Amino acid sequence: MGRQTLAVSRSTLASDGNTDPLASLALAAAEVEAAEKERANAECQARAVQHLADLFREQQRELTHQFSRPLAEKITGYITQLFPGAEANTVLGESGFEQIVLTRDGRRFDFGELSGGTQEQVAAAFRLAIAETLAKDHDGCLPVVFDDAFTNTDPERIQVLQRMLDREPPRATDHSPHL
């Protein structure tokens, strides 16, 4: 036995006799068991909270997609005036809409990959689509002001761009009976 162990043993034997080592051991074992149960409960609660957070994020993604898909379709309506066969899609992140992606001839183009002129034109299509969406709450009409001179747009594409700007958005049909 080492000196320290021997000193602890002598101290325990020399105590006033009020301490029962077996009772102390049993108490310590009960405390360990209670701590293990508390840890297991905390882990269970943490898993439940994580599962709830995962479900919330999934629901949020579904709702964001549900509302962003119509916007992407409206953008596509304008984009096809410039780039026949092109399709606009929205990229969604944790906090919602992040960017527009164009797909044309099976190739995907992130907004940052587009030329300066194409970015101007896609941004204009985006603004028109947003205005079209918001116009529903304003008797179907919402003015849009372009402060962009489309300086990066090729001269030959200006006429096509004008066609996009002149495009009439599809009108909702009224299916209510007329009296």
Side-chain angles (χ1 to χ4, degrees), residues 139-159:
D139 296 326
C141 183
L142 190 68
V144 177
V145 176
F146 282 98
D147 60 350
D148 192 335
F150 298 103
T151 56
N152 293 313
T153 299
D154 299 333
E156 56 273 1
R157 191 165 292 161
I158 290 290
Q159 288 181 334

Side-chain angles (χ1 to χ4, degrees), residues 2 22 31-32 62 65 69 107 124 144 153-154 173:
L22 292 177
E31 289 173 352
V32 167
E62 287 177 22
H65 182 73
R69 187 69 221 147
R107 186 162 177 232
V144 177
T153 299
D154 299 333
T173 56

